[in-house]
Amino acid sequence: MDRLVLRQAWAFVFREWHLTRRYFSWVVVFMFYSLVSSATVALIGVAAQDFRLTLNLVLGVLLWSFLSCMFSDIANSISYERWEGTLEYTFMAPVSRLVHLFGISLYAIFYAAILGIVIVFGLTLFMPLSFAGANLPGLLLVLVVGSMAFAGLGLMAAILPVMSPEHGAQATNIFQGVLLLISGVYYPVKVLPHWLQPFSTFSPATYALSASRKLIGVDNPLSTPTKLVSSPIREAIPELLILMVMGLVLIPLGLWVFNQAETWAKRTGKLKRTG
Amino acid sequence: MSVSRPAIFVRDMKKVFRTRAGFMRSHVTEEWALKGVSFEVGEGETYGMLGPNGSGKSTLVRVLSTLLIPDAGETQIFGYKLPGEERKIRQVIGRVSVDAAFYKKLSPRENLLYAAQLYGISRSDAEPRALDILERLEIEKRRFNDSLEEMSRGMQQKIAIARAILINPPLLLLDEPTTGLDPKSRRDVQSFIEDVRRERGTTILLTTHDMAEAERLCERIGFLARGRLVVEGTAADLKNGYDNLEEAFIKITGEKFHDNEADEDG
Ligand SMILES: Nc1ncnc2c1ncn2[C@@H]1O[C@H](COP(=O)(O)OP(=O)(O)O)[C@@H](O)[C@H]1O
Ligand SMILES: [Mg+2]
């Protein structure tokens, strides 16, 4: 990548960082709320005195917080600009959509990672947590690969508010809710109604969770509350491959959909804040 | 060797907006915002597009800014075709619209540096330039880090102009840059536009419904009414036979003209 592209992508990181800074009290509120709702879910496992359940819930909470935070940051980036009235200025700058969305995603991943860290450390205030024996580098790899697929989904969702200012944001939330439901974040997919189960194969979160469970060793019979016996990374390769393919398909597809919608908006005059 | 090419070349530009309403959105109304507009602006020239609200000024500027795709016509900017060469065109235009489109929680500094980086200018290069421009627009240095929402309309508009100038574009599209400004800010902005044109030789397309402004700043003026460019010429040509530019506009176009009225959109 050349300097120009890096500088342009960094412009979005720069902007998002300063917006975060200026809305800092909201950031604190959001993080507090995320932490508390994570803790209330994880405490269900503590109440059941089942360390496997607790770990599964903690894992679900972490992964979902990270992926959904990233997804919604990307998905809302365009509607936010439309609301501020800056969208036309972003669209008339000589920035390719790939670079634009790369910059947005870069910051979204950074922000989601901070949220994840806050939740991990926050949870230790509520319950004893030990990841001793877990394959943490492997887990990190799952997050990185999984975020590509989620970035692609975010891109597709991002254009919805441009196409329909009234219903776009609603559609994004419904979509996110469906993902949460079908991916088996807090429970095995098997407990879903039969007709719903096949849909879980389409969600990247399903594979990210399944790989993470192996890499933490939460379902390994040899694991104990103080010492987890985790799988080596090679056992998560099928999931990683699927995630990678999903990313490789969803990112170009997301960009293509985005470009189609952008052209449509420029034909029909929908970029303007009003009307 | 090509003959000197115009900065803006527009031939028969048309733009229609369709709105759907009624049962199953089956009722379509068509609004022709531009009904075949043709004009040229030479390099280094300042051209004023004069017209009342709804005459199509902003639509024209949006097409030239690559934000709207026209329905018909031929458009070139410095020889780059539209549609087709949007990427090239985006590098050579700066635009100021009537609404101050900023991140209102961010400061002028943050807004301007963000914009500069989008155009590939480093923050260290952009910062002194931005400061210099704001100083010339009579904005105090100490306000550089306040958030934009605390600033008056006049100040916000000056910062919008700074954003457009920062990238040093060969073509400036100014869409009612002084509408709704207090008299002092209006004068500051106008003299700054004159400075820019003199010092940098920037080509400027200015839309306005302020007759005095058009006369003061523009070498040539076009009268836009209901999506048609009715006539164009120097202020002196247009006024010939009339008391003033406003009377000329009303008589020539047959349109009423409401001066000093804020545009409801960009
Ligand atoms: N994005 C849009 N969608 C629908 N109609 C539009 C849009 N932009 C402009 N129009 C219509 O086109 C006409 C010209 O508008 P505009 O170009 O904004 O005029 P001006 O800038 O001279 O006031 C108006 O009737 C306006 O309602
Ligand atoms: Mg207008």
Side-chain angles (χ1 to χ4, degrees):
Chain A
M1 270 189 291
D2 62 19
R3 266 176 100 93
L4 171 70
V5 162
L6 281 178
R7 200 168 269 160
Q8 290 179 326
W10 195 254
F12 293 98
V13 175
F14 174 87
R15 179 192 84 191
E16 294 299 306
W17 164 252
H18 285 289
L19 282 171
T20 307
R21 226 167 46 78
R22 300 269 176 172
Y23 284 102
F24 193 69
S25 55
W26 279 111
V27 174
V28 172
V29 169
F30 169 71
M31 296 228 170
F32 171 79
Y33 187 85
S34 302
L35 170 59
V36 170
S37 54
S38 301
T40 50
V41 170
L43 284 169
I44 296 171
V46 178
Q49 297 185 321
D50 179 345
F51 87 95
R52 288 178 204 277
L53 177 60
T54 309
L55 261 185
N56 260 322
L57 292 174
V58 167
L59 191 67
V61 142
L62 270 177
L63 221 74
W64 183 250
S65 304
F66 176 82
L67 293 176
S68 70
C69 172
M70 201 191 106
F71 168 82
S72 61
D73 272 4
I74 298 174
N76 295 328
S77 59
I78 299 297
S79 57
Y80 176 69
E81 286 212 54
R82 190 173 209 279
W83 171 77
E84 272 279 33
T86 53
L87 187 59
E88 287 195 330
Y89 285 85
T90 305
F91 276 11
M92 64 174 276
V95 181
S96 76
R97 219 42 75 216
L98 179 64
V99 174
H100 175 185
L101 297 160
F102 173 68
I104 296 280
S105 306
L106 213 58
Y107 190 79
I109 290 175
F110 163 76
Y111 188 82
I114 299 284
L115 175 68
I117 291 167
V118 166
I119 292 178
V120 171
F121 283 97
L123 285 180
T124 59
L125 300 174
F126 294 93
M127 61 199 73
L129 266 189
S130 163
F131 291 101
N135 186 343
L136 294 180
L139 209 58
L140 213 61
L141 184 67
V142 170
L143 280 184
V144 170
V145 177
S147 41
M148 291 192 352
F150 264 73
L153 289 176
L155 293 191
M156 279 183 246
I159 202 67
L160 293 172
V162 173
M163 302 188 68
S164 168
E166 311 90 53
H167 307 303
Q170 298 169 1
T172 306
N173 281 304
I174 295 282
F175 182 70
Q176 204 174 331
V178 170
L179 276 185
L180 173 62
L181 177 71
I182 61 172
S183 309
V185 176
Y186 302 125
Y187 42 76
V189 173
K190 285 191 284 291
V191 306
L192 289 173
H194 279 293
W195 60 270
L196 204 52
Q197 288 184 23
F199 290 97
S200 70
T201 52
F202 298 112
S203 166
T206 306
Y207 305 99
L209 280 156
S210 145
S212 309
R213 285 183 185 133
K214 290 184 191 169
L215 294 169
I216 280 202
V218 56
D219 295 328
N220 189 324
L222 301 174
S223 288
T224 66
T226 48
K227 182 80 188 143
L228 297 164
V229 181
S230 60
S231 311
I233 198 113
R234 88 182 105 81
E235 281 179 35
I237 281 177
E239 285 93 343
L240 281 170
L241 276 179
I242 293 174
L243 281 175
M244 215 175 276
V245 169
M246 281 185 150
L248 287 179
V249 171
L250 287 172
I251 290 181
L253 185 65
L255 277 172
W256 183 81
V257 170
F258 198 102
N259 271 323
Q260 295 304 106
E262 187 179 331
T263 304
W264 176 84
K266 286 176 178 171
R267 256 186 225 298
T268 52
K270 292 286 188 285
L271 283 186
K272 261 198 334 178
R273 185 167 23 177
T274 48
Chain B
M1 277 289 289
S2 66
V3 231
S4 106
R5 57 178 185 180
I8 301 177
F9 173 90
V10 172
R11 203 41 87 234
D12 206 24
M13 186 193 285
K14 291 181 184 162
K15 182 70 208 163
V16 62
F17 295 107
R18 294 190 174 86
T19 28
R20 292 168 175 278
F23 178 67
M24 299 283 284
R25 297 154 57 86
S26 57
H27 183 74
V28 182
T29 36
E30 287 195 346
E31 164 95 50
W32 286 88
L34 297 172
K35 301 172 185 161
V37 170
S38 304
F39 70 108
E40 286 178 24
V41 181
E43 249 178 270
E45 187 180 19
T46 301
Y47 189 103
M49 202 52 93
L50 207 53
N53 278 338
S55 54
K57 303 184 296 295
S58 299
T59 302
L60 174 64
V61 169
R62 282 201 174 88
V63 170
L64 297 176
S65 318
T66 75
L67 294 169
L68 279 176
I69 299 173
D71 292 298
E74 197 188 328
T75 307
Q76 289 183 23
I77 290 178
F78 294 115
Y80 299 127
K81 288 201 172 60
L82 225 160
E85 295 177 283
E86 284 86 354
R87 285 285 281 286
K88 292 265 172 49
I89 290 173
R90 285 177 190 149
Q91 269 156 10
V92 296
I93 51 173
R95 162 174 172 253
V96 176
S97 51
V98 68
D99 56 328
F102 285 110
Y103 297 91
K104 302 195 188 45
K105 287 274 179 207
L106 299 190
S107 65
R109 177 182 172 274
E110 288 151 4
N111 271 293
L112 292 179
L113 294 188
Y114 160 64
Q117 291 173 89
L118 282 186
Y119 286 79
I121 304 168
S122 74
R123 271 175 286 162
S124 52
D125 284 348
E127 189 149 5
R129 257 202 250 175
L131 261 177
D132 176 54
I133 295 169
L134 290 181
E135 232 162 57
R136 292 182 56 174
L137 281 161
E138 314 227 331
I139 291 187
E140 296 160 79
K141 234 185 189 136
R142 62 183 175 87
R143 309 254 10 212
F144 212 35
N145 287 307
D146 294 351
S147 80
L148 254 127
E149 62 185 355
E150 298 162 25
M151 300 190 177
S152 68
R153 161 112 179 84
M155 240 193 275
Q156 294 192 7
Q157 196 64 349
K158 286 177 177 180
I159 292 156
I161 288 168
R163 172 174 58 190
I165 297 289
L166 194 56
I167 58 169
N168 204 359
L171 175 61
L172 262 183
L173 303 171
L174 304 176
D175 191 6
E176 301 193 33
T178 62
T179 297
L181 296 193
D182 58 279
K184 159 93 168 73
S185 303
R186 187 180 286 235
R187 278 195 306 277
D188 289 347
V189 167
Q190 289 172 347
S191 49
F192 186 69
I193 293 171
E194 287 180 319
D195 290 350
V196 166
R197 185 186 47 184
R198 195 177 48 244
E199 292 166 19
R200 311 186 187 204
T202 308
T203 309
I204 300 174
L205 176 69
L206 173 95
T207 81
T208 182
H209 43 199
D210 179 339
M211 303 289 169
E213 177 170 291
E215 269 198 81
R216 172 175 172 182
L217 298 177
C218 303
E219 284 147 51
R220 278 193 308 145
I221 296 169
F223 285 175
L224 194 67
R226 294 178 193 262
R228 289 187 203 282
L229 187 63
V230 179
V231 68
E232 60 174 3
T234 64
D237 288 344
L238 295 169
K239 278 195 299 191
N240 194 8
Y242 304 100
D243 289 347
N244 54 42
L245 208 52
E246 177 154 5
E247 197 203 281
F249 189 95
I250 295 168
K251 293 275 165 62
I252 294 174
T253 65
E255 286 279 309
K256 282 208 291 281
F257 210 103
H258 303 284
D259 210 338
N260 296 327
E261 199 176 48
D263 202 338
E264 85 281 6
D265 60 55

